[in-house]
Amino acid sequence: MDACTVSEEHQRPTDPAHPAPEPPASFWRQVVFSTDHKVIGRQFLWLGLVFLAVAGTLAMLIRWQLAHPGAPVPLVGGLLFPASGGVVSPAAYTALFTMHGTIMIFFALTPILIGGFGNFCLPLLIGARDMAFPVLNMLSFWTMFAATAILTASFFTPLGPPAAGWTSYPTLSTAVGAPGVAQTLWVLAIYLNGASSVMGAVNYITTVIRFRAPGMTFFRMPLTVWGLWLASILNALFVPVLAAGAVLLFFDRVFGTRFFIAGSAIKPGGDPVLYQHLFWIFGHPEVYILILPAWGIAGDLLSFFSRKPAYGYKVTVGALIAIVVLSGVVYGHHMFVTGMSPLLGEGFMVLTMLISVPSVILGVGWLGTVWRGSIRLTTPMLFALGLVTVFGLGGFTGLFLADVLADVYLHDTFFVVGHFHLTMSAAVLLGAFAAIYFWFPKMFGRMMNEPLGKLHFALTLVTVIVTFGLQLVLGYAGMQRRLVDPSAYAFLRPLMPLNRVVSQAAFVMGAAQVLFVVNFFYSLRWGPRAPANPWQVGTLEWTVSSPPPHHNFAEIPRVFVGPHELGNPAVKAARGVDFQPQDQEPPA
Amino acid sequence: MIGSDTIRRAAIPPGSPSGGGEAAARATVTVGMTVALAAIAMTFAALLLAYGIVRVQAPTWPPPGELPLPPLWTLRLLATVLAVAGSAAMHVAARAGRTGTAATASAPLALGAAMLTGVAFLAVQVASLRALGAAGVHPDSGLAASVVYALTAFHGLHALVAVMLSLALLMARRPARPGRLLAVVAFWHLVTAVWLIVFGAVFVA
Amino acid sequence: MTFAVALALFPALPRDASAQGHGIDAVLGYLTITTAVAFSLMLLILLAALVLHRGRDRVAHYTHGVRPRDRAAAIVAGAVVLFGIDAVAVVRSASALRSGFWRYPDGDPAAYRVEVTAQQWAWNFRYPGADGVFNTPDDIITLNELRVPAGRPVYLQLTSKDVVHSFYLPNFRTKIDAIPGTVTRLWFQPKETGTFEIACAQHCGAWHYKMRGELTALTEQELVRWQGRAAADAALRYDAADREAHDGWPWMPAP
């Protein structure tokens, strides 16, 4: 599809007889049911941040129990766990890790990175006035909201919150292992969350294909757009597979079908492992859905704050696409110990290992970008560097789990927990923060406080590495996941001091986020007013005011260069600054 | 709908050389619908994959210990005919909508006809599930019964959505925007196609 | 820091009591060292850049990274990881798996067979007794106690009564899921006598953490003595009317 033909409709400036529309007047249409991608983006961001705090609090409770099994939780124990005298009971603990995982992945990471930054940034970065389907966009947020309402309700059901793990394997998650309405509500909430994601994917994919400004070829798009676009493709293709698993689980629970109920001598039945297939066909692409936007943002930020172009932009894009393709054919590595045939096991092992190649190429790109740059250690840059570091550590540990032999030992231990927390916290605790510190000026028109941001970064980075790095050690020593009290096993009792260190690091991590909350709310009100382009970079969102006007661009821009035209001596000589805005003609 | 027309008009300034906002808007809707249909198709593909897996793993079908299901050929064939008829009617509606002015009378008529076949289809599906129940086959009777109930119900929900979308089109201010009409038509065709595959894979095979 | 972590990891493995464990430990060690080296290299380059190439007064080196030497850097890095880490690990693991984890002692008359039924929240073990056939009156049934001979292959077939569990032997570096409605298989060979823990490694409900068993590897003499006592006990306990207790199955042949 030729970029010029596609975007021809944008080429003329706005017709004076049809000026850009005024924003809607009523409160409901402007604030609540707005179809403006910038408003919807902020709505997703708020929702995601609130639930990030909720899931983070659940994590603190988990870490308390692992550090001091059986001890009443200080301060809030009596309030939260009255029936057990403030102690985290076994049933409560299983609910804690279930809801922590569910909320973090579906109701924090997804809304912040994809719903929040995807919505806010995508049209601005490609030079469009809004998404392709603004009403669908609005519906996507409110569907997500409905999902959160249902999930919140599941906390307060008579038999307790969902407790079958975020993966919700049958038969534990069927009526056999989880009587009560909470698990059914969980399934509904996941289904609606998925519907919201698919709606968003339809919008993002279409918008990038159809609404790029004239001259914005695919290879002139910021890497952030590539990350969001590729994540949306995975969302559109694989979230529906989770929906299928959810539908069948729902039917098993509510109508008594037997898809996942194991057969017995009396009543023939289905196969619990079938669910695992459906879940992980979704589940593996899902982890790439979560990290792709973060990779894209990191690629852009490293370039911006090294004041030089992204190293090997096209190769980086190729690597991202390779990972997207591979992500669909590796899911079996989550199921190595279900009695899988050796042929399948070896196949999945080899395919999974192959992902390390494009991943390494991404790493080479990041290193090459900062090497011989003029590095500015702003808060967004620090978080981007932290993202790359933590993801590097987490990514390498994935090799252990791709290897069937090692995985047989490490499966369902804390090594897995450390691996995915390193990679996912790279995405959300570092990537989302990088995005927030970077785009806060554009979103809210004010600057965040730099020294506070840097302190937040330092504490977060160190505690992330200590907390999740030490979990790798715990797993290597054989400690399983999802244990209410590891000291029930003699071979784990020597690890209890290490568990306490992990918890202490986690508590510091939790406390450090207060710095962010203070910074965020203070800067919203009293931060210094942000200029249009505080970071002095060339992507299109920085060519408009902070925050942008309702219609984004007075005239649809024409794009002449890529997003990382920094450090070009010819540009420096001609313009006096070291970056070339995308919407201006470069010097000859 | 709220705001979308104004935004899209602003995004596609009139008087552009490519021939006007309508063609561009339709191309955008086509891309969006393709993605949406692909996503919905993936859900059904996954459900059919699940069916395939349990069927291949079972030594016989229905699995040992389960009673065979009443085939209900009359109802199933009737449902199939209705589904195809509905798609045919929607095809007529689409063609009427595509020939420039959608103010021709045939588009709403075809839409209405499709809607009626859709409602009839749903009635037949409900009847078939009740017939199964009357024959003592319930969702918990076994795996084969589970497959029939789940696929019929989930597909039926999508057919219901298709009927409701057609109703919305009919009731909206006329004439229906071509992009929207084509989107609903495409969804309808997907629902029919899924039924044909389900019919073949679950009831014939 | 990563080297310290890598070194710290080595003594952290539980005692290896199995004949096959050294293969797994070797692969784990190889992966630890190679990934630690690779990550350290990455970190070194990153830190060097931050120290050497930082500051407003520096002029950034303008390059898009598309020269032949840039492509070469990417290819070399990819090749080193692919062949140096991935390929070696895959080859060593596949060989260990084929001669170990996946090589079930189906035809081996010396294999010691036990049927395992997992439940919320305990392990039931069924030994075939003197007649060597499962689900007969002379079967020995124990709860949470697995007694096996040291020095011979132990061959387990597993299922579950309710939800998915996972039979995990940390000291033998192995585990397999126990799935309701299915029979899975696991084998291992103790190389020494002793008592080792059995753990559950799949979330199976609130008391998953208490699903602990004990595996005791005995000498052949001790095993025979125990079997004698246990057989007498089983004969006393057998109740023909208790159908639920007869949940063994004919030993599944190799698929």
Side-chain angles (χ1 to χ4, degrees), chain A residues 196-246:
Chain A
S196 165
S197 289
V198 172
M199 288 187 222
V202 169
N203 239 327
Y204 293 15
I205 295 173
T206 310
T207 306
V208 168
I209 291 176
R210 297 285 305 157
F211 280 66
R212 283 166 294 126
M216 171 76 74
T217 61
F218 271 91
F219 285 135
R220 284 183 182 161
M221 299 195 312
L223 288 167
T224 303
V225 177
W226 273 107
L228 289 163
W229 191 63
L230 291 172
S232 300
I233 291 176
L234 286 178
N235 251 325
L237 289 177
F238 291 105
V239 165
V241 181
L242 175 67

Side-chain angles (χ1 to χ4, degrees), chain A residues 52-65:
Chain A
L52 181 67
V54 170
T57 309
L58 297 177
M60 298 297 116
L61 294 168
I62 294 172
R63 286 315 322 175
W64 172 265
Q65 169 66 14

Side-chain angles (χ1 to χ4, degrees), chain A residues 16-28:
Chain A
H18 297 86
E22 293 299 312
S26 86
F27 171 78
W28 291 102

